[in-house]
Amino acid sequence: MLIKLEYYFKNFRILRSLKLRLFLILVLVGLIPTTIMRYAFLGNYVERAVHVRTSDVQNQVNILSNHLTLYNYLQDTSLEVINAELDQLSNLYDGRVLIIDQNFRIVKDTYGISEGKTMISEEIIKCFKGESISNVDNNNHYIEMTTPITDTAEAYAGLGIDASVDSNKPDSIIIGVMLTSVSTDSINATYELLDRKALTIQLIMSVLIIALAFLMSQLLVKPFSRVSSAISEIKDGYTDEPIAVNDYLETEHIVDAFNQLQSRMKVLDDSRQEFVSNVSHELKTPITSMKVLADSLIMQEDAPKELYKEFMVDIAEEIERENKIITDLLSLVKMDKTASGLHVESKDINNLLEIILKRIGPIAESKGIELIYESMREVTAEVDEVKISQAFTNLIENAVKYNREKGSVTVVLDADHQFFTVEVTDTGIGIPQEDVDHIFERFYRVDKSHSTEIGGTGLGLAITRSAILVHRGSIKVTSEEGIGTTFMVKIPLYYIAS
Ligand code: ADP
């Protein structure tokens, strides 16, 4: 049943509407109690009224039964006083009274049709044994009760008639039975009248509840409509102000999450714009230089061959620089791609660093810089060889590039059970404190002219940082101007896929 309901709620679009669900809940919550109250009160009324009627009649009948004995009615049924009492009782309750003697003969019938007849039934026999019975017949709408007519044993003994002893009172004997049936029609009529009134009230209440539920459900979901229209406005580009719908805590949460998303997108958009303008600027610089060089050659009509050669060498250098920027940009784009592009393999990190140092060796040597490698232990880790090599190459190349004559670069490899660490320390120019926080930004160079002179693009550390982050590692830097810089890299030994 529940599964079926769930199926309907999931598959029928209209049933997924919050408005409809609220409406249904409010209608149910309103209608169920009114229906329960109607049936509970009315059902109770009938039960109670029948009970009251039964005990009323029982009292009357008991009094009458005493009168019957007092006036010896069983011997003489023509007594006016008693007959009047019996008629009054049957008229009052719209009923019938039969008086039966010990021979099961009907001595009195208030309807006057069964006198003289014999009547034997289980109830009458039980009553002669002292057991009074009252039955309610709901289908035919009447209450039937049997009452014993008793007399004292002594008084009766004188008459010489055989009679059964009342089991409840041993000194009394049962000389007859009163069979009384009274109608419950008036109770049923009152019940029907009340039921009709209750139904009318219930119908009016239902209409009111449905109208109220409709209004409430419209009102309750209104803030959600406001959220979606505010989001639509932003989507359509009318505004990019943060939105606020504070009617509910829930709408506040949704709106907060949306505002955060929007501001993140704004930051991304700004940084993309900045990046595009930086790229254009960086790519334009070598082209401008080439154009200036070429123009000045064209302007000079009889430029000597040597000048041509000199300018062509400069142009080739600019092309080389342009090429380097484009290569770095492509590497950066590749690094920025998510971890899905990683080719993770278990690699010997000692070996990887040795290869890098061997490659950089000649450049360092040409500057008289000593390369020192200290490996604390054998390290094998799960890394993307190409990306991680590029990261370490950039760090060691920088350590050589921004070093002083006859300086040194020390590379230390170590590991614990979770991470391996690589420290690259140089004895170079250092990084001013105010620039340390920016060196990982794209195109950021501490000293533009100096960096360009030594062939920097400002993208190397950005590439390095992306490569390390994609391995879920971290990179830190400490530096002192004129003394040197240390880069500390920490990478998990085992790649953690997200
Ligand atoms: P570049 O291609 O210019 O070297 P990087 O992104 O590799 O770009 O480095 C950014 C800037 O950080 C460099 O321009 C340089 O000023 C500074 N820098 C990087 N490494 C070092 C270092 N080892 N010593 C001093 N400065 C450094």
Side-chain angles (χ1 to χ4, degrees), residues 120-148:
I120 304 174
S121 74
E122 198 188 327
E123 285 84 12
I124 294 171
I125 295 170
K126 278 186 177 164
C127 192
F128 270 117
K129 288 184 179 154
E131 195 179 325
S132 302
I133 290 166
S134 67
N135 287 327
V136 179
D137 185 335
N138 282 324
N139 295 332
N140 299 312
H141 306 163
Y142 68 85
I143 310 166
E144 190 183 63
M145 56 183 81
T146 53
T147 319

Side-chain angles (χ1 to χ4, degrees), residues 61-310:
V61 167
N62 285 344
I63 295 167
L64 243 169
S65 156
N66 286 338
H67 286 184
L68 290 181
T69 316
L70 195 67
Y71 290 98
N72 246 334
Y73 184 77
L74 283 174
Q75 262 75 50
D76 179 10
T77 56
S78 61
L79 267 167
E80 279 306 314
V81 200
I82 303 295
N83 282 336
E85 276 187 48
L86 285 169
D87 286 339
Q88 195 187 11
L89 177 76
S90 46
N91 287 339
L92 189 63
Y93 294 109
D94 189 13
R96 179 182 188 183
V97 184
L98 296 177
I99 295 172
I100 297 149
D101 70 8
Q102 287 156 318
N103 304 319
F104 298 103
R105 204 170 53 87
I106 301 171
V107 293
K108 172 74 185 171
D109 173 7
T110 51
Y111 278 14
I113 47 175
S114 302
E115 278 161 13
K117 290 183 183 165
T118 304
M119 189 172 190
I120 304 174
S121 74
E122 198 188 327
E123 285 84 12
I124 294 171
I125 295 170
K126 278 186 177 164
C127 192
F128 270 117
K129 288 184 179 154
E131 195 179 325
S132 302
I133 290 166
S134 67
N135 287 327
V136 179
D137 185 335
N138 282 324
N139 295 332
N140 299 312
H141 306 163
Y142 68 85
I143 310 166
E144 190 183 63
M145 56 183 81
T146 53
T147 319
I149 307 167
T150 56
D151 201 352
T152 53
E154 296 162 46
Y156 213 73
L159 298 172
I161 304 167
D162 192 23
S164 47
V165 179
D166 189 342
S167 56
N168 297 324
K169 290 183 266 171
D171 56 336
S172 304
I173 50 168
I174 300 169
I175 53 167
V177 168
M178 270 179 89
L179 179 67
T180 320
S181 47
V182 291
S183 162
T184 56
D185 275 346
S186 62
I187 294 175
N188 287 311
T190 314
Y191 168 79
E192 267 158 35
L193 185 81
L194 285 177
D195 192 38
R196 263 202 304 282
K197 278 194 176 161
L199 186 69
T200 318
I201 293 173
Q202 200 189 7
L203 282 177
I204 295 170
M205 290 266 293
S206 303
V207 172
L208 283 177
I209 287 167
I210 290 171
L212 203 74
F214 182 74
L215 273 176
M216 289 291 284
S217 58
Q218 297 277 344
L219 262 168
L220 286 170
V221 296
K222 218 168 195 153
F224 290 100
S225 311
R226 271 207 288 277
V227 171
S228 68
S229 66
I231 292 176
S232 295
E233 266 182 28
I234 290 179
K235 195 179 73 197
D236 298 342
Y238 296 131
T239 171
D240 56 1
E241 289 294 306
I243 51 175
V245 180
N246 298 331
D247 304 54
Y248 301 136
L249 274 179
E250 287 77 6
T251 52
E252 218 174 286
H253 289 327
I254 296 173
V255 164
D256 279 353
F258 179 79
N259 284 340
Q260 278 169 20
L261 177 76
Q262 207 208 349
S263 60
R264 228 188 107 201
M265 275 166 56
K266 205 164 175 306
V267 169
L268 281 177
D269 197 43
D270 288 352
S271 93
R272 199 199 56 192
Q273 273 183 11
E274 195 193 318
F275 180 60
V276 170
S277 88
N278 285 345
V279 168
S280 321
H281 177 77
E282 295 295 326
L283 290 176
K284 232 178 130 188
T285 317
I287 290 174
T288 316
S289 308
M290 283 189 268
K291 173 120 176 66
V292 171
L293 290 166
D295 278 352
S296 56
L297 278 181
I298 295 164
M299 301 268 277
Q300 291 183 35
E301 295 223 330
D302 300 314
K305 204 174 150 201
E306 292 75 35
L307 194 71
Y308 264 99
K309 190 147 192 229
E310 195 192 322

